[in-house]
Every structure is written in structure tokens, then in C-alpha cells.
Amino acid sequence: MSPSRDLQDGYAFKNFKYSSHYWILKKLEEESEPLRILDVGCAAGYLGKILRERGHYVAGIESDVASAKKARAYYDVFHLADIETFAFPDRQEFDYILFADILEHLRDPAAVLRKAIPGLRDTGKLIISVPNVANWIVRLSLLFGNFDSADRGILDKTHLHFFTLRTLTKMMAEVSCRVLDVTPTTLPVQLVFPFTEGKAFAPLHALHDALTSSWKTVFAYQFVVTAAPSAVAALPAANRMHAEMMK
């Protein structure tokens, strides 16, 4: 099945193995009970649609009017609002808050995270996906003096922030969250060459994933991070996690 392309700004639902959307849904599959989920920056509702079909309660926030019109039907509660100024719930309401491919588009992602965190239940978690600006392709481009914006991808012209694994984990510590796990995603070969979705290419994609996991700071296209709020006293533990992940 080829990726859907009926999304805002030309972005596609990456419904192939090893993509950020694949890993986000995979992480939520590990939960045995129905969840209460807030999908922040939900675009046309591709994640919300799947999660609601799986029996979860899903709330969505989207600022783009055209995308919101498509997404609204897939959510139990829906907000058409500016994410930067949205009044996130200050009571413990959600098991998960998703920030899928959205933080890089915000003026102050840390401020938004701080506002969102009080909406998590005691055992609640954040799932975040951001592009890796330290990917080897960007590094190679910089070697030749190029850092050109594009219509999509790591150097998308709408990105206001660029993340490495180091800066991402630092930001999570700054908002008093501990990183529980980091999953690197492979370069989205299937978006560029849809024919590689065939079963014959599965071993190559598996090899690609293994290579990406072996040196995630260089080969990751995106990072999918699960994090949980922590007390200020727990920040040294977050720093130890950060040091381990940098290896």
C-alpha cells in the first residue's frame, strides 16, 4: 500500500514500516487498555482516525483550517486553534499527548510542552517525533556549503527549529521530562520510490533499519521519543540517560 498524500502542505501519512508514524502507532499498540490521547498538530487526522478505530478516546488540535475540516470527524473532541496560544487542560486528563512532526514548526516548542504536560495523568507520557538535522545527508550537504530549504523533509522551509538528539534530550530535561526511549527512523525511501513497498524489498528495509539503529545520531531521519514528566530532583537521571543515548 503506497503512502496517502491527501494532507496539508503536501505531507503524507507514512504508513510504511520504520517510519515515524509506524513507530508512534507501534508504541501505542503496547498498551492493553483503551487510552485517552491528545493529538497536537493533527493535520488531516491520519493518526486520530487509526487510533479512534482501535477504541481509544482521541482529542485533536489543528491550526490549519483546511486540514481541520478533514480531521474533525476522526476525533471525539476537536479544537481549531493556534497551538502556541492554546489553553491546554491543566487537569490530569490524558494517558498520552502526541507531538508528531509538529515541534519543529513552533516558535517556542519548550513553552508549548510546558503548557501541555499538566494535562497528563500520573502515569501519562509524551510521544514526540522530530527530524534529525544531523543526518548524514545534511552533514554532507554542509561539507559542500549547502543548507538549502526545501518543500518538505528535514530542511522543510516551514521549520523554525532544527533538532539533533543532543538538543532534543536537552530540551526534554529543561521541561522537566525524562526520556524513556529513543527510536530512530530510516530515510523515507518508500516516499521517493513507492515501488520499494513490495515484499521483495523488505530485507533491504530491515537492513536499512539495522544500520540506522547502529549509529542513530548520524543515520536517523527522525527521532521518535517517549518521555514522562519528572520532578526537578530527577534531572540528574535524565542527564545520565542523555549521556547513554549519545554513545
Side-chain angles (χ1 to χ4, degrees):
M1 182 165 53
S2 62
S4 167
R5 299 187 180 276
D6 187 23
L7 298 179
Q8 74 178 90
D9 301 326
Y11 274 91
F13 171 41
K14 296 170 282 191
N15 61 346
F16 46 85
K17 198 171 184 181
Y18 310 123
S19 72
S20 59
H21 299 154
Y22 167 85
W23 287 118
I24 289 169
L25 293 171
K26 191 79 170 173
K27 290 172 186 288
L28 293 171
E29 274 181 4
E30 297 171 0
E31 301 285 354
S32 58
E33 300 292 331
L35 303 167
R36 293 180 65 88
I37 300 169
L38 176 61
D39 185 6
V40 181
C42 60
Y46 43 85
L47 291 177
K49 180 177 185 293
I50 295 171
L51 292 170
R52 198 177 183 198
E53 287 173 350
R54 292 180 179 179
H56 302 301
Y57 171 94
V58 191
I61 309 170
E62 176 53 45
S63 59
D64 181 77
V65 175
S67 295
K69 186 176 180 180
K70 298 176 183 178
R72 189 180 298 274
Y74 303 134
Y75 293 85
D76 295 281
V77 174
F78 188 84
H79 304 276
L80 174 59
D82 182 342
I83 294 166
E84 303 260 13
T85 59
F86 179 72
F88 285 88
D90 56 6
R91 62 189 185 281
Q92 297 179 346
E93 184 174 343
F94 296 102
D95 299 296
Y96 281 89
I97 300 180
L98 309 183
F99 288 91
D101 308 338
I102 187 65
L103 291 180
E104 62 270 22
H105 297 274
L106 303 181
R107 293 185 299 275
D108 191 345
V112 173
L113 288 172
R114 288 190 185 97
K115 289 195 298 180
I117 287 168
L120 286 172
R121 292 175 169 175
D122 289 339
T123 57
K125 300 180 183 70
L126 302 170
I127 297 182
I128 295 166
S129 62
V130 295
N132 173 30
V133 76
N135 179 272
W136 70 272
I137 290 179
V138 179
R139 294 180 189 227
L140 187 61
S141 296
L142 281 171
L143 183 64
F144 290 97
N146 299 319
F147 194 74
D148 300 326
S149 60
D151 290 332
R152 61 189 299 167
I154 296 174
L155 299 182
D156 186 317
K157 59 189 176 185
T158 66
H159 289 179
L160 301 181
H161 287 268
F162 297 96
F163 292 97
T164 65
L165 183 54
R166 185 180 300 277
T167 59
L168 176 59
T169 54
K170 179 182 178 183
M171 181 179 69
M172 299 315 297
E174 289 172 351
V175 300
S176 299
C177 282
R178 64 186 187 278
V179 174
L180 304 178
D181 65 68
V182 177
T183 303
T185 79
T186 58
L187 287 166
V189 176
Q190 296 92 326
L191 282 179
V192 182
F193 304 108
F195 65 88
T196 64
E197 273 288 281
K199 290 183 179 180
F201 291 91
L204 291 178
H205 293 313
L207 181 62
H208 188 190
D209 178 62
L211 175 64
T212 301
S213 297
S214 71
W215 197 359
K216 53 182 172 285
T217 55
V218 172
F219 292 117
Y221 178 70
Q222 290 179 280
F223 298 114
V224 180
V225 169
T226 305
S230 60
V232 174
L235 286 181
N239 292 335
R240 288 195 299 272
M241 171 71 79
H242 164 77
E244 286 297 316
M245 291 187 299
M246 291 301 110
K247 293 181 180 178

